[in-house]
Every structure is written in C-alpha cells, then in structure tokens.
Amino acid sequence: VATTEGMKGGGYYDDHSEYQRRTAETVDALVEESVRAVPVLAPGAWFVIVDYGASTGRNSIASVRTAVAAVRAREPDRAVAAVHNDVPTNDWNELFANVASRADSYLTVAGPPVLPLASAVSFYEATVPAGAAHLGVSFSAAHWLRTQPTVAVPDAFYFCEATGDARAALAAQADADWTTFLTARAADLAPGGRLVLEMVGTDTSSGEPAVTARALLRAMTEVAAQLVDEGSLDRAAFERYLLPVYARTPEEARAPLERPGPLAAAFTVEVARTDRVPNPYLDRWRADGDGAAYGRSYAAFVRGFTESSLRTNLFGPGGHGDPDALLDDYFGRLERRFAADPEADAFEDWTLTVVLARNL
Ligand SMILES: C[S@@+](CC[C@H](N)C(=O)[O-])C[C@H]1O[C@@H](n2cnc3c(N)ncnc32)[C@H](O)[C@@H]1O
C-alpha cells in the first residue's frame, strides 16, 4: 500500500496544481535534450515514455506532450506510447478524460496517434516490461516515501524537524526508498534510455539546510495542535503523524548512484541540483494584494496533495467526528491563516532535478 491513495480526485488536484505545473515546465528543455540523447530505435520500434506519479493528468499530459513533440521533431513518423504510472487508487477516469479532451493533450501532436497507457502499480516496483521504456519522467512525486514512517517526531509533521536518531532513521528510510526507486527504473529502461526526475529538495549551499515546504509544514502542525487543544483531534495521533515526504539534497540523490554496485553500473548522473521555482500564488498576491484569494489558492494547493495522507493517518484514526468535516475545518483554518499574513507561511521551494542516463 502506497503512502497516499493519490491526489484529490474529480479535477480538484488538476485545478489546484499550478505550482507543480510551473515546476515541471522549468525542465522542458532537459526533457527535449534527453529525448535527443536516446539512441535512434530500429525502424518500426515504439518509443516508450513513462511518467511516474502522473496523478490525474492535466500536468502529466503537458509534460508528456513536450517529450512526444521532441520524439516527432527527430522522427516525424516514430510510433510513441505514453505510459502514465500512479497508484491503483489514483483517479484514472480524470486522467484519461484529460488525455482525450484537453487541447494541450499529446494526442494532438502531429504524426501517427500516440498510444495512451496506464501502469497502476507503485513506482517502487517495475512499472513496464523490462527494458521497455526509453524516456522516464517524474514530477513532484518521487519524494513520497514507500511506507508511512514510524519514527516519533512528537511536535512536528516533517522529517527535517527530527533530531538525533530519529533524523538518522528518516534519512536511512529515504535512502533505502530512493535506492529501490532507482533499481526499479534500471529495470524499466532500455540501454541508452534517460530519466528526468523532479521532486522537492533541500539546498545546503548556504549552511543551514533550506528545505522545501518547511514553513508550510510548521503552519500545518500548529493548526493541527489547535484542534488537539480544542479536543477534536487525539494528541497521540497528532504526535504520531508525519507527512511521508522526504526532500533530498543533491548529495543524497547521488549517494546510491555513487556506491559501488549495480546502480552505479546502470546509470550515469548527468544532473543533480536544486533550483528555486517561483511561487505563483505569492507572485499573484504581490501583484494584486488580494489576501483572501491568496489564502484560498494556497490552501487548495496544499489540500490537493495532502488530503489523502491526512485522512488516512491523522483525521481518520485520531479525529473526533467525521474526517471530511474535520478536513474542511482544518483547511478553512489554514486558508484564513494564509490570508491574514501571506508572507509568514509561504511555500518556499528548492526543487531537486536529477537526470540519469541508462548505461549501454
Ligand atoms: C503531487 S502529485 C504529482 C502529479 C504530477 N506529476 C504533477 O506534476 O502534477 C504526486 C503523485 O505521486 C503519486 N505517488 C506517490 N507515491 C507513489 C508510488 N509509490 N507509486 C506511484 N505513484 C505514487 C501520487 O499518487 C500522486 O499522484
């Protein structure tokens, strides 16, 4: 069982993931370059693109379109298959509705039709027949841990607030998961294939680690603590809860690829770095000063990707009352808090980009 049942379905995540879209767009050129670096396939062979953690598709179809267009720029008639990977409980209906109907779907790229496919398994396993993939991409997804951490970090919801043994245990869990993820990708990819992966990251270039989403997670913890104080959430569930996400540094991203062994032999690291991606909600507030709109858009962005985890591991087991009503209350409080002081809990981002070549 994955640590999320997927992003909030029915179009909610699609409507509130402008930040993730913006993040993916920053590596469009790397995606194009990576397609060009894949050795030309035999005549008649299918070029297979896999998007790991595709969610409900509005962002996925745009990134896959960039890749399909790059394939067709090189070979206008090359057959292409687009595999969308996500957990079985993902809202797949929404994904295929987007593939079929959105103007920016890859189905509208010139050339022979692109074959849309789903791979409904965890990306901690092989997702396609061995060696079938030529380009793997993944955006805002590979930071989700494989299993819910059981390490106690009583007053915080995020790995980076842990200290000592607890912090080391979380780093070890994230390293093991990343190793498993990459081992599965080594199986998926054909020799010469490329991977372009983006996920939340941590920048260590200026001393104190700068961790993506740290201020957000502190705000989320404080608002949940209010619910504990008011008696609508169990203290024990609050103390147990951690968002099952780990923001790696570029060094942590390289580590399993630099240890002697099968992964080091399978991949060459082309890129491992963090970059800032501007926050679209904050940019808009700075331009129009509309705090209420900012609070709404920021809270909805957060709800899109955290609701499943909060329901399963916080409000489900520990809430007093209907989890959905508690979630409405919780996100309402966050929205008002964000609106009242837009800069205070702003989402800051150091996106980690990793580009790997599957060795021949
Ligand atoms: C924030 S969404 C990103 C969606 C899309 N790539 C984008 O950029 O908008 C993260 C996705 O990763 C998926 N995910 C998390 N853990 C996963 C796993 N173990 N296997 C496959 N997908 C997973 C979630 O279900 C979710 O759809």
Side-chain angles (χ1 to χ4, degrees):
V1 183
T3 50
T4 172
E5 293 186 332
M7 304 296 95
K8 194 166 165 57
Y12 188 96
Y13 175 79
D14 283 336
D15 285 343
H16 301 292
S17 54
E18 181 186 356
Y19 206 160
Q20 291 91 333
R21 176 85 284 268
R22 218 188 230 204
T23 303
E25 279 168 1
T26 62
V27 291
D28 277 352
L30 279 178
V31 169
E32 290 162 352
E33 215 176 279
S34 298
V35 167
R36 287 194 293 271
V38 175
V40 173
L41 308 183
W46 289 74
F47 192 104
V48 177
I49 300 164
V50 187
D51 182 12
Y52 300 99
S55 186
T56 47
R58 202 178 296 171
N59 291 344
S60 185
I61 56 174
S63 299
V64 171
R65 184 190 174 93
T66 301
V68 172
V71 173
R72 292 282 163 75
R74 184 168 80 166
E75 297 178 285
D77 294 322
R78 175 64 64 185
V80 178
V83 182
H84 302 274
N85 159 261
D86 212 289
V87 296
T89 43
N90 180 50
D91 184 352
W92 293 100
N93 286 340
E94 176 73 15
L95 182 138
F96 285 107
N98 280 321
V99 169
S101 65
R102 301 278 302 181
D104 61 346
S105 171
Y106 52 80
L107 294 186
T108 62
V109 174
V114 177
L115 180 64
L117 298 168
S119 167
V121 294
S122 168
F123 53 45
Y124 289 109
E125 301 163 29
T127 63
V128 291
H134 301 100
L135 177 77
V137 295
S138 182
F139 306 99
S140 304
H143 45 238
W144 284 91
L145 293 170
R146 192 164 64 88
T147 51
Q148 184 64 29
T150 53
V151 173
V153 191
D155 296 315
F157 282 179
Y158 208 25
F159 75 97
C160 56
E161 311 299 350
T163 54
D165 288 349
R167 182 69 187 80
L170 289 165
Q173 180 172 351
D175 180 77
D177 286 0
W178 180 231
T179 303
T180 304
F181 179 92
L182 293 171
T183 303
R185 300 299 74 78
D188 286 352
L189 281 174
R194 290 288 188 282
L195 274 178
V196 180
L197 310 170
E198 265 192 348
M199 64 209 90
V200 295
T202 294
D203 176 72
T204 50
S205 58
S206 50
E208 174 71 6
V211 185
T212 299
R214 187 173 204 163
L216 166 65
L217 267 299
R218 285 181 173 163
M220 290 177 74
T221 308
E222 286 173 21
V223 172
Q226 287 168 7
L227 300 180
V228 173
D229 291 343
E230 292 170 20
S232 49
L233 180 62
D234 276 348
R235 181 165 299 280
F238 168 82
E239 290 185 351
R240 248 193 336 266
Y241 182 73
L242 267 188
L243 184 72
V245 162
Y246 191 95
R248 297 182 176 87
T249 64
E251 296 71 32
E252 287 173 316
R254 285 176 183 276
L257 296 151
E258 289 175 347
R259 281 174 209 136
L263 270 186
F267 287 115
T268 300
V269 181
E270 308 270 335
V271 176
R273 63 161 199 248
T274 54
D275 298 293
R276 302 300 305 269
V277 178
N279 178 331
Y281 316 114
L282 201 60
D283 285 355
R284 209 147 41 233
W285 171 74
R286 286 187 179 133
D288 67 14
D290 186 342
Y294 170 79
R296 270 195 306 280
S297 57
Y298 186 15
F301 155 73
V302 176
R303 189 167 188 164
F305 67 87
T306 57
E307 185 182 277
S308 162
S309 166
L310 292 169
R311 182 189 287 106
T312 307
N313 289 301
L314 183 66
F315 292 110
H320 303 166
D322 172 27
D324 286 318
L326 286 166
L327 281 161
D328 286 343
D329 179 30
Y330 182 63
F331 282 104
R333 288 170 190 243
L334 278 170
E335 178 181 325
R336 291 190 290 281
R337 177 175 162 137
F338 296 153
D341 189 352
E343 302 274 2
D345 309 314
F347 191 99
E348 285 192 292
D349 156 286
W350 290 269
T351 289
L352 173 65
T353 301
V354 178
V355 179
L356 304 178
R358 179 78 173 89
N359 293 331
L360 291 169

